[in-house]
């Protein structure tokens, strides 16, 4: 649309205004309209070309970003498929694959696979290390996280009734560590004299005295071997099951005994119980039960400013305590049919082992005051060249580990009898 306006002062000049699209163009002479419009259109065309160029560049970047997203999604799909396959191999339940057991690690090791492919099995010898790092070692020595059972655990988070009991070993209670030496040395405080007091301005400050001793824990070897038929080497699942059931459980059982009762002589570790303090009642309770003894033992440790974080009981004693009833015949603890109960007494985790004599207990700050230092991960070796194995068609399987054990403050642990008198 064009508009013509007469300029002030009677001038014959005209001002023409033309709207093209969203641009408004003003002229002082209608005759110049054509050339002005063309100039403006040229400028608009140049601007539009620049806009398209920038748009193309952004679209290119967007396509590149979409390609990267597709690549990541493809990788995620592959990982999800792998996880689903692992879950299926574990027997369903919707849970992902857990840590591999000793036996699984052994039969999947390159050494075993090479041996398995040999035409002549006799006269060959191979080895497979089944735990070489701290995390791996903890996984394969925790009852609930390893191959102690030959059937995979089906844990369903959405169904608490199916949650398993928390089965702990002594190793699970103490702190974990590694070493590359043949001994672990550390300073242990032997005495403390605190002279702290209120001090006047300009006066001398009182002195506190601390005394230490150097303690050394040597690295010891724990090992055993057993014989199996040569045919078991041909059957990887059977070999894995045998390693889990015999090699693992045999070492774990003796390890519990050493951590608890080793006397430190010869090749023995120095365990906790020989160094622990004897139980002393903290208050009188004429009708005290084993549960009263345990809470007083915890109080005895806490009186020394330590925090109890673990307890060791005989497996039968643990069941005996669960079966305790009140005067009306009701169970003191949770229902016998409740499968999700944690293995705790007085809010304290309980490790059960038949290495602990019946009627005896041990409580203390395991995580802070006792520590295992693994020198060598669990090693499993198999050989047909042992004794008369060749003639009898047998294979010797040997499992061993090397570790040191330290108890930093022995007095922080308390041991005693569940039937101790509190009167």
């Amino acid at each position: 649309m064009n508009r013509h306006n007469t300029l002030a002062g009677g001038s014959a000049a005209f001002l023409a205004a033309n709207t093209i699209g969203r641009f408004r163009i003003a002229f002082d002479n209608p005759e110049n309209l054509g050339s002005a419009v063309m100039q403006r259109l040229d400028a608009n065309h140049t601007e539009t070309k620049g806009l398209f160029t920038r748009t193309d560049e952004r679209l290119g970047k967007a396509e590149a970003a979409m390609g990267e997203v597709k690549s990541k999604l493809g990788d995620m799909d592959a990982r999800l498929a792998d996880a689903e396959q692992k879950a299926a191999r574990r027997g369903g339940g919707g849970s992902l694959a857990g840590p591999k057991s000793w036996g699984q690690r052994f039969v999947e090791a390159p050494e075993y696979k090479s041996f398995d492919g040999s035409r002549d099995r006799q006269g060959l010898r191979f080895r497979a290390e089944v735990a070489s790092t701290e995390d791996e070692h903890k996984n394969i020595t925790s009852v609930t996280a390893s191959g102690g059972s030959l059937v995979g655990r089906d844990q369903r988070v959405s169904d608490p009734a199916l949650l398993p009991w928390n089965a702990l070993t002594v190793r699970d209670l103490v702190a974990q560590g590694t070493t590359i030496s043949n001994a672990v040395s550390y300073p242990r405080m032997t005495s403390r004299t605190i002279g702290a007091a209120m001090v006047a301005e300009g006066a001398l400050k009182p002195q506190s005295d601390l005394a230490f001793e150097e303690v050394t824990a040597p690295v010891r070897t724990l090992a055993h071997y057993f014989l199996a038929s040569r045919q078991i080497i041909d059957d990887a699942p059977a070999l894995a099951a045998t390693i889990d059931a015999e090699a693992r459980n045999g070492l774990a059982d003796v390890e519990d005994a050493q951590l608890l009762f080793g006397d430190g002589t010869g090749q023995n570790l120095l365990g906790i119980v020989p160094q622990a303090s004897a139980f002393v009642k903290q208050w009188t309770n004429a009708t005290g039960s084993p549960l009263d003894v345990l809470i007083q033992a915890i109080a005895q440790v806490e009186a020394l400013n330590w925090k109890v974080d673990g307890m060791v009981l005989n497996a039968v004693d643990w069941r005996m305590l669960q079966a305790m009833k009140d005067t009306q015949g009701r169970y003191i603890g949770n229902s016998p049919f409740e499968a999700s109960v944690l293995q705790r007494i007085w809010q304290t985790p309980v490790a059960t082992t038949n290495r602990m004599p019946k009627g005896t207990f041990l409580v203390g700050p395991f995580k802070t005051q006792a520590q295992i230092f693994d020198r060598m991960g669990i090693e499993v070796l198999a050989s047909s060249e042992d004794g008369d194995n060749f003639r009898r068609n047998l294979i010797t399987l040997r499992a061993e580990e090397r570790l040191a054990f330290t108890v930093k403050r022995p007095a922080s642990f308390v041991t005693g009898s569940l039937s101790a008198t509190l009167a």
Side-chain angles (χ1 to χ4, degrees):
M1 180 181 71
N2 294 321
R3 292 181 182 179
H4 303 278
N5 298 309
T6 303
L7 299 180
S11 171
F14 294 93
L15 177 65
N18 188 25
T19 301
I20 301 176
R22 63 184 180 88
F23 301 101
R24 183 173 178 81
I25 310 170
F27 304 93
D28 62 351
N29 192 333
E31 295 178 357
N32 295 329
L33 177 62
S35 60
V37 168
M38 292 304 297
Q39 291 175 2
R40 186 58 187 172
L41 287 175
D42 288 341
N44 192 24
H45 176 67
T46 301
E47 181 180 350
T48 303
K49 283 183 65 179
L51 178 62
F52 279 125
T53 300
R54 291 192 297 273
T55 302
D56 287 340
E57 291 176 353
R58 293 180 180 177
L59 285 174
K61 292 180 180 179
E63 289 177 356
M66 287 296 296
E68 184 177 353
V69 170
K70 289 180 179 179
S71 176
K72 292 182 177 179
L73 288 175
D75 184 52
M76 291 176 63
D77 288 341
R79 293 183 181 181
L80 180 59
D82 182 62
E84 290 174 347
Q85 291 174 2
K86 290 180 179 179
R89 286 196 295 269
R90 285 178 55 84
S95 59
L96 298 180
K100 295 179 181 178
S101 69
W102 290 14
Q104 290 172 321
R105 291 167 184 258
F106 187 86
V107 298
E108 292 178 6
E111 295 88 344
Y112 172 77
K113 292 180 179 179
S114 174
F115 182 87
D116 185 52
S118 298
R119 176 176 295 180
D120 181 12
R121 305 289 180 81
Q122 295 292 353
L124 293 180
R125 183 177 179 218
F126 62 95
R127 57 179 278 176
E129 187 172 291
V130 297
S132 57
T133 68
E134 178 181 348
D135 289 338
E136 288 176 327
H137 201 121
K138 287 192 290 188
N139 284 338
I140 64 173
T141 53
S142 170
V143 171
T144 58
S146 184
S149 149
L150 300 184
V151 179
R153 184 181 67 185
D154 183 1
Q155 180 173 333
R156 300 169 187 254
V157 178
S158 60
D159 189 357
L162 297 182
L163 290 176
W165 291 92
N166 280 356
L168 296 176
T169 64
V170 179
R171 174 182 275 270
D172 294 317
L173 292 179
V174 304
Q176 309 292 315
T178 59
T179 180
I180 58 174
S181 179
N182 61 356
V184 175
S185 296
Y186 61 97
R188 176 192 291 166
M189 186 183 298
T190 57
S191 66
R192 174 197 293 133
T193 302
I194 302 299
M198 306 304 294
V199 181
E201 184 176 352
L204 291 175
K205 308 305 186 287
Q207 178 181 346
S208 294
D209 292 317
L210 307 177
F212 293 87
E213 64 177 352
E214 189 74 14
V215 180
T216 300
V219 170
R220 300 301 189 196
T221 299
L222 175 59
H224 70 143
Y225 76 93
F226 50 92
L227 300 177
S229 66
R230 190 190 67 83
Q231 285 75 15
I232 200 173
I233 296 293
D234 299 328
D235 186 353
L239 177 60
T242 301
I243 290 173
D244 288 336
E246 300 299 330
R248 179 198 177 282
N249 289 341
L251 287 184
D253 181 55
V254 177
E255 185 181 78
D256 270 0
Q258 286 288 311
L259 298 180
L260 289 174
F261 300 106
D263 60 11
T265 64
Q267 296 303 308
N268 294 312
L269 300 174
L270 182 55
I272 300 175
V273 173
Q275 307 179 72
S277 300
F279 170 71
V280 177
K281 72 174 183 179
Q282 302 299 296
W283 61 85
T284 299
N285 187 342
T287 60
S289 70
L291 292 177
D292 293 299
V293 172
L294 290 174
I295 197 170
Q296 289 206 25
I298 293 173
Q300 182 177 342
V301 175
E302 292 178 342
L304 299 175
N305 296 322
W306 301 108
K307 178 65 176 177
V308 171
D309 58 19
M311 180 185 307
V312 182
L313 295 173
N314 178 273
V316 175
D317 288 333
W318 162 246
R319 294 302 184 185
M320 177 271 294
L321 293 173
Q322 285 183 296
M324 291 181 64
K325 299 179 180 180
D326 61 18
T327 56
Q328 299 183 35
R330 297 172 300 187
Y331 286 103
I332 294 176
N334 294 69
S335 165
F337 304 102
E338 191 162 336
S340 60
V341 179
L342 295 176
Q343 191 160 307
R344 292 173 179 264
I345 295 177
W346 299 121
Q347 300 86 48
T348 303
V350 179
T352 58
T353 171
N354 287 324
R355 289 291 187 167
M356 177 66 77
K358 290 182 182 179
T360 305
F361 68 87
L362 174 69
V363 300
F366 288 85
K367 287 295 183 185
T368 60
Q369 299 306 312
Q371 185 168 6
I372 287 176
F373 291 90
D374 290 308
R375 175 65 176 83
M376 181 185 75
I378 307 300
E379 182 185 68
V380 179
L381 292 91
S383 175
S384 64
E385 296 302 296
D386 178 41
D388 55 2
N389 281 6
F390 181 82
R391 289 177 291 166
R392 295 180 180 275
N393 236 16
L394 296 176
I395 293 292
T396 299
L397 292 170
R398 188 185 78 199
E400 66 178 295
E401 62 176 323
R402 297 182 65 200
L403 71 158
F405 184 56
T406 64
V407 182
K408 301 175 183 177
R409 296 298 306 174
S412 63
F413 291 89
V414 171
T415 185
S417 172
L418 288 171
S419 58
T421 178
L422 302 177

